[in-house]
Amino acid sequence: MINDKDDAIDEIFSATGALSQCIENFSPREGQIAMARAIATCIKHKEALCVEAGTGTGKTFAYLLPALLSKKKVIVSTGTKNLQDQLFFKDLPLVIKATDIRPKIALLKGRANYVCLYRLDLAFETGRFNDKSSVADLQSITHWSHATISGDIAEVEGVSEDASVWPWVTSNEGNCLGAECPLFQKCYVVKARRKAQAADLVVINHHLFFADLALRDREVGEILPDADVIIFDEAHQVAETASNFFDERMSSRSLIDLCDDLETESQKVARDIQLNLHAVATKLRQATQDLRLALGQDSRRDTWASVKSSVSRIVDHVKLSLLGFNEVLESAADLSEGLNHCFERSIEAISSFEAITADQGDESIHWFETYPRSFVLHVTPLLVAKEFQAYLDKTKAAKIFTSATLTSNGDFSYFQDQLNLQEAGILSVESPFDFKEQALLYVPRYLPMPSAENYTEKLLEEVIPLLNKTNGRAFILFTSHYALSYAANFLRDRLEFPLFIQGELPKTRLLEGFAESGNGVLLGTSSFWEGVDIRGSNLSMVIIDKLPFASPYDPIMRARLEMFKKQGKNAFFTYQLPKAVLSLKQGVGRLIRDIDDKGLLVVCDPRLIAKAYGETFIESLPPLPRTRDAGVASDFAEEL
Amino acid sequence: MANPNVAFYILQDASPDSRLAFACRLIEKAYKEKHRVYIHAPTKEMAHQLDEFLWTYKDNSFVPHSLANEKIDPAPPVQIGHDTPPTTNHTMLVNLCDEIPPFFNRYRRIAEIITNNDNEQALGRERYKTYRQNACELTTHKL
């Protein structure tokens, strides 16, 4: 039905409309307008809507415009901080410019993204850092902190995002002093939250959404304003974020941090008390390290049940150390705010540790992961649909879920089932790109099965000639870290192009370097399958090593597959396959980013052709021309 | 085991591509009827050509297949070979060779595709005779 809103939307998106005045080379896209109209209707009737919008639809504008035109309170939640920044600093100002609406807008991130002035002072006072680069980092941060308005550490220049000082100049739930903080009035987290509360449109991320949800559930406060409209962009990540959020975890890091913080705080108290505090900290640190050793040398992820009996003695020891720590601190807690806070953290640590090491219930998964020098213990909900349902029941907001990848073979049910959105409306908007002209899918012949020992070597031999044809300008996306590091070693002496290898630099710097090089080859795993936007000829080939099935040995995956089996469902078709399809669609989505982009997609896995389920993958991908002929692929690569 | 049923498909078109395109339709149909199909090609080149055809001849078709030498385990329902006899069990043979392969009587069904080309037709008649001498059920479909 045509109404005033639709007219306004049509006008703004038209060839001569307001957007065309603000954006160079703007051209109206049918799909974008259809999406904007559907969202306007959804907002009007306070419904729920899932929209899959193929790459290039312009989905950001398609939801921002109707959201603004509605003049309601809007929350936009996206997957990552980088996407938040892009939305807030690039897209949102453009859309506002195209309307005559001047809403109050706010950007809100998690607390770890804001400098904590109290901890910054503390880091200086205690002289924790004495190496040159850390001192320089601290000075840069301090200098910036005098001038910043937002306190968002993304503004800091010249300090690497993986610098070791960051945890010491930002706060977390555990070490924040809250209203007791002497610098509370200046707190950037508080300021940002107040601004968000007062705004008409707030840009947040999924993690923050669930943090707010949890606070409301416990009735201990709220971060976000009550919204009339909530839009989840990158909605395919919502369930995963929820699962991570509701995951109760305890890391060896958090215990060691507690010990470190106690020692820092204890420097301000009398000598005899200080000695006692040091003693319990040392004991807890030792017990924590013992538990790491007991969990086995190799880094791994496994169920808690698999180690429970073999580590029970050491687990008891950690518990006793925590209790001792807590007991000694109790008598020192009123000496300072910092010590009191350590005391409170120790209470929480005891309860988490007991919950995690207890017997597993039906609705949660107890598991652990180990790294060379640390471990993390987890209790993860088997499904997040329940937690999400509680929210859906309460909220009266219109809810929009959008992403380039929500469906498998045109079917939304995998996505809907994860979040109990079976009742929500659905809309698929096809990409406006002409894949027939812009791309080619190549599946090489004679590769062994992906389980073969020499698989990675064989596929690399296969793609080296193609890399030489495209003169680099390629991503090789791996499904495992093992294959990634194997490939890094293998390719180093065999390629003349600069290699950008995940883990050698932070993600953003790796991508900048790749884009600037003009002939780079980037090797990445899961985090590079998504949210990477390199337009133009700098990225002309995407190579995917295997169909991205999650490992069935992963403790979470194993428990979820088990659950589907118990429910009498086919776990492969209801869960594993659609999950892998969405991942592959994400990976493939890196290649063609613009109407003029061209590129070769190489999916090495022979199962894509030989297995019946290959059809589900093919039907779910954009309509790419296909080949298995090395000559055809090579000719295409030559033209890129 | 009973002797195979052999179907001859006589095409109006003379081009080698039309033969492969028809083979694809035949294979797709057989796959949907749950046949396990082995295609015997005279050369590696033709095996590759058919492999490419099966993968590309229609936008919305999908027939899970592999080249016999790709050694996919477990083997997909459709395999294309050219030199060695197949090691897996199939119910149907599509013969693209001039000669009848020696292992022809392993199958319940055999398909022969003859293009509108004198030489092809002459060779086809020879194969027809041989099948008859081997007491196969024969049918001919003019298309």
Side-chain angles (χ1 to χ4, degrees):
Chain A
M1 211 172 72
I2 305 286
N3 58 34
D4 297 349
K5 287 264 160 57
D6 282 350
D7 287 347
I9 285 165
D10 287 359
E11 156 59 24
I12 290 170
F13 281 112
S14 74
T16 53
L19 274 179
S20 73
Q21 323 265 317
C22 309
I23 302 163
E24 241 178 280
N25 299 325
F26 178 85
S27 58
R29 296 171 192 174
E30 225 174 282
Q32 191 178 37
I33 297 173
M35 178 173 169
R37 282 179 164 211
I39 287 172
T41 309
C42 172
I43 292 174
K44 194 175 161 197
H45 301 297
K46 296 183 181 148
E47 293 165 339
L49 178 67
C50 310
V51 190
E52 182 177 72
T55 356
T57 305
K59 66 172 159 33
T60 313
F61 288 2
Y63 64 70
L64 283 178
L65 254 167
L68 284 180
L69 291 175
S70 75
K71 298 192 179 158
K72 294 186 172 174
K73 278 233 177 213
V74 180
I75 293 175
V76 179
S77 180
T78 186
T80 63
K81 290 176 277 177
N82 288 343
L83 290 170
Q84 272 186 280
D85 285 341
Q86 191 188 319
L87 255 171
F88 189 80
F89 294 109
K90 276 168 92 183
D91 302 330
L92 194 51
L94 272 175
V95 177
I96 289 176
K97 209 173 139 194
T99 66
D100 53 5
I101 300 164
R102 296 293 170 262
K104 278 184 278 178
I105 60 172
L107 174 66
L108 184 63
K109 299 180 182 174
R111 65 162 64 248
N113 295 284
Y114 298 93
V115 67
C116 170
L117 296 172
Y118 176 77
R119 287 178 60 79
L120 181 60
D121 280 353
L122 207 62
F124 264 110
E125 272 172 33
T126 56
R128 167 173 297 277
F129 293 100
N130 37 33
D131 67 294
K132 247 187 189 164
S133 77
S134 295
V135 171
D137 286 349
L138 276 183
Q139 276 162 353
S140 306
I141 295 165
T142 307
H143 183 74
W144 159 83
S145 75
H146 296 314
T148 179
I149 294 170
S150 72
D152 185 339
I153 59 171
E155 294 171 4
V156 179
E157 278 170 28
V159 180
S160 155
E161 58 188 287
D162 57 352
S164 56
V165 297
W166 287 124
W168 299 94
V169 301
T170 54
S171 67
N172 61 37
E173 208 75 10
N175 59 33
C176 172
L177 303 180
E180 310 295 326
C181 179
L183 297 175
F184 187 70
Q185 291 307 320
K186 291 184 179 175
C187 177
Y188 287 110
V189 176
V190 172
K191 282 186 197 166
R193 289 181 179 177
R194 285 199 183 128
K195 201 170 170 209
Q197 283 283 349
D200 303 312
L201 189 151
V202 193
V203 177
I204 62 164
N205 57 55
H206 302 336
H207 189 85
L208 205 55
F209 171 82
F210 287 106
D212 178 66
L213 212 58
L215 286 180
R216 284 167 190 255
D217 260 4
R218 284 185 276 144
E219 297 180 346
V220 289
E222 56 198 44
I223 305 167
L224 304 173
D226 287 316
D228 304 312
V229 181
I230 173 137
I231 299 166
F232 295 93
D233 197 346
E234 303 293 307
H236 65 282
Q237 295 173 352
V238 170
E240 182 81 26
T241 309
S243 181
N244 286 335
F245 187 83
F246 294 114
D247 172 47
E248 180 166 7
R249 76 198 74 184
M250 147 146 300
S251 62
S252 57
R253 184 75 249 166
S254 71
L255 292 176
I256 303 283
D257 280 352
L258 182 57
C259 297
D260 287 353
D261 287 347
L262 179 66
E263 284 171 351
T264 307
E265 291 291 344
S266 70
Q267 286 174 24
K268 299 174 196 160
V269 300
R271 181 84 184 141
D272 55 331
I273 302 171
Q274 195 181 109
L275 286 178
N276 274 341
L277 294 174
H278 274 234
V280 287
T282 307
K283 201 173 165 206
L284 178 59
R285 191 182 282 117
Q286 186 58 49
T288 306
Q289 285 159 355
D290 288 347
L291 180 53
R292 170 63 196 91
L293 286 177
L295 290 170
Q297 197 174 4
D298 295 334
S299 297
R300 63 173 171 149
R301 292 155 69 91
D302 210 335
T303 57
W304 184 248
S306 70
V307 292
K308 199 171 183 214
S309 60
S310 67
V311 298
S312 69
R313 208 178 47 80
I314 294 166
V315 163
D316 288 343
H317 190 59
V318 175
K319 258 181 224 172
L320 284 176
S321 307
L322 260 172
L323 289 171
F325 185 100
N326 173 260
E327 200 176 311
V328 170
L329 252 180
E330 185 166 14
S331 53
D334 43 11
L335 294 178
S336 78
E337 201 39 60
L339 284 174
N340 182 43
H341 196 65
C342 286
F343 171 63
E344 282 167 6
R345 280 160 72 192
S346 72
I347 296 175
E348 275 174 38
I350 290 169
S351 96
S352 299
F353 192 74
E354 283 184 341
I356 289 169
T357 54
D359 285 330
Q360 176 164 328
D362 273 352
E363 293 187 345
S364 55
I365 311 159
H366 292 231
W367 61 284
F368 72 96
E369 55 192 326
T370 55
Y371 299 95
R373 283 199 302 271
S374 61
F375 63 80
V376 188
L377 312 181
H378 299 261
V379 182
T380 303
L382 196 48
L383 285 178
V384 295
K386 231 187 180 171
E387 270 81 2
F388 204 71
Q389 186 61 49
Y391 162 74
L392 293 174
D393 288 344
K394 256 182 258 168
T395 183
K396 290 188 179 66
K399 295 159 289 280
I400 291 122
F401 301 83
T402 186
S403 162
T405 55
L406 292 183
T407 68
S408 168
N409 204 357
D411 185 355
F412 283 81
S413 55
Y414 165 75
F415 173 73
Q416 290 177 305
D417 287 350
Q418 281 185 312
L419 298 175
N420 259 353
L421 291 172
Q422 292 86 348
E423 307 291 316
I426 51 169
L427 174 70
S428 285
V429 180
E430 264 182 46
S431 167
F433 300 153
D434 183 0
F435 289 98
K436 288 251 165 331
E437 295 300 320
Q438 292 179 263
L440 178 67
L441 164 61
Y442 170 49
V443 181
R445 290 185 178 121
Y446 300 115
L447 282 178
M449 288 296 277
S451 52
E453 203 154 313
N454 62 350
Y455 180 74
T456 305
E457 182 186 339
K458 290 284 172 202
L459 87 86
L460 293 170
E461 282 170 357
E462 186 69 40
V463 301
I464 285 173
L466 290 172
L467 289 164
N468 287 323
K469 290 277 181 199
T470 54
N471 194 32
R473 301 186 292 144
F475 275 12
I476 313 182
L477 300 178
F478 294 93
T479 46
S480 71
H481 287 277
Y482 173 78
L484 172 91
S485 56
Y486 182 91
N489 283 327
F490 188 88
L491 292 176
R492 232 182 278 272
D493 309 324
R494 290 176 175 85
L495 281 184
E496 288 170 22
F497 313 115
L499 291 182
F500 297 88
I501 297 159
Q502 178 182 337
E504 292 191 350
L505 283 174
K507 185 174 173 182
T508 44
R509 282 176 54 201
L510 214 55
L511 288 169
E512 279 163 19
F514 172 83
E516 279 162 23
S517 73
N519 67 343
V521 176
L522 184 142
L523 275 55
T525 63
S526 50
S527 69
F528 286 85
W529 288 64
E530 295 199 19
V532 174
D533 186 15
I534 295 183
R535 280 158 205 246
S537 57
N538 275 344
L539 176 59
S540 290
M541 177 160 65
V542 169
I543 298 163
I544 286 174
D545 77 330
K546 291 179 190 176
L547 295 177
F549 287 111
S551 163
Y553 303 109
D554 183 89
I556 297 182
M557 193 70 185
R558 215 154 73 193
R560 290 191 179 148
L561 295 179
E562 210 42 55
M563 177 201 68
F564 283 113
K565 270 180 215 155
K566 270 190 205 155
Q567 294 174 352
K569 290 183 186 156
N570 183 315
F572 180 76
F573 287 106
T574 44
Y575 191 69
Q576 273 172 299
L577 180 61
K579 187 174 162 71
V581 165
L582 262 57
S583 298
L584 183 69
K585 282 168 77 171
Q586 278 292 336
V588 171
R590 300 312 104 219
L591 184 60
I592 305 295
R593 306 297 301 167
D594 212 344
I595 214 102
D596 304 316
D597 268 9
K598 279 192 108 176
L600 177 61
L601 171 68
V602 186
V603 179
C604 294
D605 197 325
R607 291 176 299 178
L608 182 58
I609 289 185
K611 293 288 185 183
Y613 61 67
E615 183 166 17
T616 308
F617 283 99
I618 294 292
E619 289 294 319
S620 304
L621 292 179
L624 304 159
R626 315 170 215 165
T627 190
R628 295 203 74 194
D629 190 309
V632 173
S634 175
D635 290 349
F636 188 86
E638 181 108 55
E639 298 287 311
L640 292 171
Chain B
M1 205 168 94
N3 286 335
N5 290 326
V6 185
F8 274 76
Y9 297 91
I10 318 292
L11 306 188
Q12 288 187 359
D13 210 316
S15 70
D17 275 5
S18 67
R19 188 171 185 223
L20 293 180
F22 184 77
C24 287
R25 281 168 51 196
L26 214 58
I27 293 161
E28 189 180 357
K29 188 159 172 273
Y31 160 67
K32 285 185 177 153
E33 288 166 0
K34 308 267 183 257
H35 272 288
R36 300 182 57 81
V37 189
Y38 180 74
I39 302 103
H40 197 57
T43 59
K44 188 175 177 178
E45 285 66 39
M46 197 187 285
H48 283 185
Q49 249 181 316
L50 182 66
D51 172 41
E52 183 81 349
F53 254 81
L54 259 185
W55 176 229
T56 56
Y57 85 109
K58 261 193 335 203
D59 283 349
N60 57 354
S61 78
F62 185 88
V63 178
H65 73 276
S66 74
L67 295 159
N69 290 343
E70 286 187 302
K71 310 241 174 349
I72 304 290
D73 183 34
V78 175
Q79 283 198 288
I80 309 164
H82 71 277
D83 43 11
T84 49
T87 50
T88 42
N89 287 325
H90 296 90
T91 54
M92 177 172 168
L93 170 73
V94 177
N95 179 40
L96 299 176
C97 296
D98 293 346
E99 308 276 335
I100 298 171
F103 47 85
F104 77 95
N105 54 7
R106 290 189 200 173
Y107 305 90
R108 276 193 276 130
R109 275 177 63 185
I110 297 174
E112 291 276 356
I113 307 163
I114 313 294
T115 56
N116 193 358
N117 163 302
D118 291 345
N119 185 42
E120 289 286 317
Q121 286 169 344
L123 290 163
R125 275 191 288 274
E126 286 306 312
R127 294 202 292 277
Y128 191 93
K129 272 184 224 161
T130 315
Y131 283 125
R132 198 170 49 198
Q133 281 158 11
N134 283 282
C136 297
E137 283 290 329
L138 284 154
T139 50
T140 303
H141 307 272
K142 289 205 169 139
L143 299 156

